[in-house]
Amino acid sequence: AQPLIVAIDGPAGAGKSTVAKLVAGSLGVPYLDTGALYRALALFLDARGIPPVECDALYSALQEVSLEITEKEILLEGKNVGAEIRTPRIDTVVSAYASLPMVRNRLLDLQREQGKRKGLVADGRDMATVVFPDARVKIFLTASDEERARRRFLELRERKENARYEDVLEQIRERDRADSSRSTAPLRKADDAVELSTDGLTIGEVTGSVLALVREIL
Ligand code: C5P
């Protein structure tokens, strides 16, 4: 049989990665955080001062950059950048890079490769629409803007990052606008995806609903 692929898409802060990790653990398959890949490329390009408009410089940088993922780490030029990719700076610049076909193509095979042996639970923006269109389970996870901003805000505070709730809310809206309106692989629910709103639900409840959907098809 084909390895099991569970595709989870949705806007920023909907709880995708928390839920996807728990679902993967429960099913005993690897978890793939595709946002981390876009963040790592954004970190690399931003640090080198290559803006999203400089096609030639972008092209050569994308050819030479080394990006690897293991079960636990994301390695950029051989170095684990798990913490560096989750800063307000990367939150601000990532969508512009992620809108470029050149950047998305650089990551396509890398993402598909991960699911080949043992299957996976993957989260992102275009899992069900572009990267894994044949995924057996497709979920579109949402929550209200305010709820998503509140979660991000609390997460930032926990990491001792200074942030105002209003700024976090505006930034989340801006990132969703950018991700939904780009022409290549925009954020949208796949026609055959199940939409789950997580407003007012606990992580355990959402994870349970996703697992129930998986068990239905197994
Ligand atoms: O999921 P996360 O918030 O870490 O994603 C960071 C950014 O990476 C998104 O705002 C989006 O611009 C981009 N992304 C994407 N396609 C994916 C995953 C992430 O364009 N599959």
Side-chain angles (χ1 to χ4, degrees), residues 8-13 16-17 31 33-39 42 85-86 90-91 93-99 104 107 111 123-127 131 152 175-176 178-179 182 184-187:
I8 304 183
D9 292 304
K16 299 185 299 293
S17 65
Y31 161 60
D33 175 356
T34 64
L37 298 174
Y38 286 94
R39 287 171 179 274
I85 58 175
R86 284 170 224 293
I90 299 302
D91 281 352
V93 301
V94 63
S95 290
Y97 290 114
S99 73
R104 307 201 69 82
L107 297 176
Q111 296 171 84
D123 80 351
R125 303 295 185 286
D126 62 342
M127 298 298 95
V131 182
R152 252 315 133 88
R175 194 141 65 91
D176 292 343
D179 291 340
R182 68 185 177 217
T184 309
L187 166 66

Side-chain angles (χ1 to χ4, degrees), residues 166-185:
E166 289 72 22
D167 297 339
V168 176
L169 176 63
E170 184 40 48
Q171 206 202 11
I172 268 198
R173 286 183 169 149
E174 181 50 44
R175 194 141 65 91
D176 292 343
R177 257 198 301 273
D179 291 340
S180 312
S181 63
R182 68 185 177 217
S183 44
T184 309

